[in-house]
Amino acid sequence: LLAIISHFLFGPIRLIQEAFQENDMELANKYIAMVKFPKLLIKPVRQGFYMLQSNIAMTNKDFDKAEGYLKESLKSSTKMLGQENEGASYFQLGMLAMQKGKVGEARKNFREALKKGLPDNETKAAAFLQLSSVEIQARNLKQGRDYFKKAKALKPKTKEIKAQLVQMEKYIHRVR
């Protein structure tokens, strides 16, 4: 009886995470299908469940589904986990909005992500870089440069973000 109740409250979330980390999407989808009533999961687990579903949808390039799952994740957010998970959700929503060409929505989501808090400096730098790009495209050069400086000050170590910083710096110097 306890096992059945815990299955409904916690679900196979750990199994889904492990399958996702091992890049076994087939197994992850199999475990996700085991959750018949996601609304019965306790809030922190439900939030993680929707976040994982969103990540899987993004790897399948189904951006509309991913956005829906992210919004469900935000509805399930709880103070118990802190706001970093919420910030990560807003960051992903911002990235999705950028891919869809919704610049205003992306700007709003990136700002909200930074306000709620992001888990590490790499993600913060990525958010500042995206905001810098948005502002420069909108011809708000001063604001764009400020966001760029904030991204650079975080001294990211990821190759992709370093490369983006170099490209953005070249672009800013050309725009002057």
Side-chain angles (χ1 to χ4, degrees):
L1 182 65
L2 184 62
I4 292 171
I5 291 171
S6 69
H7 174 75
F8 283 109
L9 294 177
F10 300 107
I13 196 78
R14 186 72 201 137
L15 297 173
I16 297 168
Q17 283 177 324
E18 288 173 2
F20 189 76
Q21 287 172 347
E22 292 173 12
N23 223 7
D24 188 352
M25 295 305 147
E26 189 175 311
L27 187 61
N29 285 324
K30 177 184 166 193
Y31 288 138
I32 284 175
M34 292 172 70
V35 179
K36 301 294 182 201
F37 306 104
K39 299 280 187 204
L40 294 179
L41 297 171
I42 59 174
K43 269 190 163 191
V45 174
R46 187 178 335 143
Q47 182 181 9
F49 174 75
Y50 286 127
M51 195 71 157
L52 286 170
Q53 276 193 309
S54 169
N55 289 339
I56 290 172
M58 285 176 76
T59 58
N60 294 333
K61 302 216 184 304
D62 189 349
F63 301 123
D64 291 330
K65 253 187 187 177
E67 186 176 7
Y69 288 135
L70 280 170
K71 288 180 179 177
E72 284 294 323
S73 174
L74 286 169
K75 285 182 194 173
S76 302
S77 67
T78 176
K79 300 287 187 237
M80 194 164 75
L81 289 178
Q83 291 186 322
E84 283 182 352
N85 288 335
E86 211 173 330
S89 292
Y90 279 110
F91 177 76
Q92 283 187 320
L93 280 172
M95 294 300 282
L96 284 170
M98 286 293 285
Q99 287 184 344
K100 290 180 175 184
K102 299 178 179 177
V103 179
E105 187 178 325
R107 178 188 292 138
K108 183 183 84 168
N109 285 324
F110 287 130
R111 285 181 179 163
E112 190 67 24
L114 288 165
K115 183 176 139 190
K116 297 286 183 181
L118 292 167
D120 56 20
N121 282 349
E122 303 295 314
T123 312
K124 287 177 190 172
F128 281 127
L129 265 173
Q130 291 297 325
L131 278 170
S132 175
S133 174
V134 166
E135 295 298 340
I136 288 172
Q137 287 174 4
R139 305 310 260 169
N140 298 329
L141 300 179
K142 184 181 182 307
Q143 187 74 36
R145 282 190 203 108
D146 288 344
Y147 284 132
F148 174 75
K149 287 177 187 174
K150 288 178 182 180
K152 198 170 181 178
L154 291 169
K155 298 180 182 167
K157 293 171 179 52
T158 309
K159 287 181 184 178
E160 294 86 16
I161 296 176
K162 281 183 173 181
Q164 287 177 359
L165 279 170
V166 170
Q167 287 178 337
M168 183 62 77
E169 191 162 24
K170 289 177 184 176
Y171 184 72
I172 287 174
H173 286 298
R174 274 187 296 186
V175 173
R176 285 184 184 187

